[in-house]
Amino acid sequence: MTGSGSLPTPHPDPADAVGPVGTAGPAEAVRRTVIVSGVASDSHTWNLIYLQMLVEELGYDVVNLGACVPDDLLVRECQARRPDLVVLSSVNGHGYQDGLRVVEKLRAIPALGETPIVIGGKLGVRGAESQERVGRLLAAGFDAVFDDRADAVVAFRGFAAVLPGRAVGGLL
Amino acid sequence: MGFSDAVRRLGSGAGLVVQPRMGFEDPARMRAGLAATRAAAAATVGTLTVDSFTRLGDLESVRNALAEGTELNGYPIASHPAETTRAILDGLASDDFPVQVRHGSAQPQPIFQALVAAGLHASEGGPVSYCLPYGRTPLDESVRNWRAGCHELLRAQDLGAEPHLESFGGCLLGQLCPPSLLVAVSVLEAMFFHGEGIRSLSVSYAQQTNMAQDREAVHALRRLCAELLPDADCHIVVYTYMGLYPRTPGGARRLLARAVELAVDTGAERLIVKTEAEAYRIPTVEENVAALEFAGAVARSLTDRRDGAALATHLEAGPGTRATDGGEVYAEAAQLVHAVLDCDADLGRALSAAFKRGLLDVPYCLHPDNAGRTRSFIDTDGRLRWADTGDLPLPPGTAAGGRRSVTSAALMSALSYVRDAYDRPDLASEPALRLAEPDPGPPTLEGAPR
Ligand code: B12
């Protein structure tokens, strides 16, 4: 899907998803792909729609996996698509637990060893996260944790704007 | 006594019955929360809100969380033994203080089994409203699960109770859905429950962006229920705004007061409140009690006005709209409902078929079984309208037409329309200070019974 002006649609089923290379012209063959996804227990989607648009506006192709994405579906999609960035979002308060579990599964895949993976949103049920819990998420394999603070989106935009290229990201 | 009867009886004195969304994984805290709800200075009913892992049937994650002491966003009713839930309710749940289980699951059978085993009989949801906005379970499967779920709940009859179901259709994605679709789905789901044998029902409507339109919607709901469910025992529940919530305490209270006004003016029997913590995190027991008592007080002060409500509604809605008849919202909702009923004699199959054909289509919904051809917008008068009706069976001219170009900033401003309007008075005075997150207070005090 390319950043087009109209509202995004998800790619619930990889079979009917339009791959970034298929939609990009030859000059754009190097357009980079970002996977935006909810986590297993979280059904919120406005956050995903918003993040998809935001990332598209930065010039990436986005595959939005939607809400309540089971761990194996996320792993399969990341393995198949080799994205340049994986953005997990959770606001229901279980993001800490869902995120810890799934990032270990993602990092266990050799091809995803170097892929930037970030998580953000409302990750617990008590508001802002403790340093300790953020530290555990980072230790488990996230490159960045965008806790629900006023500057989270600005910080994320800065992070996503300067992603290393494909070759540097080791994805070719 | 059925839940609807109990709500009516409780409300006959106070005017409006108020209810929290409340759920904690810890049984002691859950019991303290129910006790505080019951003791609150308002006509209240209690809530057990179920956590997200249980909603998805992931009981292993519940076990891990309980073992590690990680907090959940609700009460894991299918994991704690029935005796634990009974002990939580013991001496609290009664005809004077009915307790409803709220859950958000497209596989409700285990939850209904657990609540019946614990001696409860009231819950909510629906094959559409707990499917499309709540994950990726196929709609057909959700319809099958909800049929089976209704039969599970009917077992409460063997224990001498009257099972109750509320449709969550009045919420859907919480925001940016034109009211006629909310009303239609709520009525259709109530009819589905009725068809499966549930006799005590409620239908819902979530406050949106414009008071006059919201009033029409609640009247439309009542009128459609009278027409289509004449022999059901059905009441109306209003949800305080379900979209991005104001971040200032003042804004949060003003929006809640507006929801109370909507409920009282339209004669809705029950209101689900929101707290000052809504924009940030799961509210504490104290924050819930404060919201219940505030809503109760506003309701009492408005109840006197209620008799003149019909007149007031007419005046405010302006000429040409017959608000107490449900006006424009009724007309659209009735067309949607009848188009679905015409799809199939079996309502479950009709609902699936309607979504396949785009006769029902929730704007901005990412679920694979939603056609995704409709779009909505907030008009200059604050009403929520269709920008694109897709294949909805609505007359030409209903949609304002012209797909607006949508950016992340434009989406955010539509999502924030209500939040910002209600926050504005407080932000104008002291922006930095007022945006601070409310302090949840020392954790040890939260579970203290009142
Ligand atoms: C709308 C809504 C719903 C709708 C969702 C419909 C849908 N399909 O999306 C419905 C009604 C279905 C719903 C259900 C539930 N909800 Co809800 N919901 C909300 C509400 C009111 C608004 C959320 C919203 O639309 N936001 C719009 C988007 C654009 O903003 P956002 O989600 O806040 O995300 C922003 C930031 O968090 C950040 N961000 C998010 N992710 C990421 C990721 C990265 C990388 C970065 C950089 C930033 C980032 O960027 C976004 C823009 O600023 C919020 C409260 C609020 N905020 O007012 C509660 C809220 C999120 N819900 C909550 C809960 C708990 C639930 C339920 C579990 C029910 C319950 N127990 O109350 C269920 C979910 C079931 C499940 N399996 O997950 C809680 C979460 C509590 C917590 N974390 O402590 C909240 C905060 C309400 C509350 N105070 O209790 N909900």
Side-chain angles (χ1 to χ4, degrees), chain B residues 35 44 70 86 113 118 123 132 144 168 175 179 190 212 254 257 261 265 285 290 295 301 371 390 401 426 429 433 437:
Chain B
T44 54
T70 305
R86 282 181 178 275
Q113 242 163 39
S123 191
L132 298 196
R144 278 198 300 280
F168 195 67
Q175 48 203 333
R254 278 188 291 277
E261 195 183 331
D265 282 0
V285 171
S301 77
D426 289 51
S429 49
L433 227 177
E437 181 178 336

Side-chain angles (χ1 to χ4, degrees), chain A residues 30 32 60 82-85 107 110-116 143 162-172:
Chain A
V30 294
R32 292 176 297 162
Y60 297 97
R82 304 290 187 85
D84 297 84
L85 169 66
R107 289 302 184 205
L112 300 174
E114 303 289 312
T115 309
D143 293 285
V162 297
L163 277 189
R166 265 186 185 254
V168 185
L171 293 170
L172 277 182

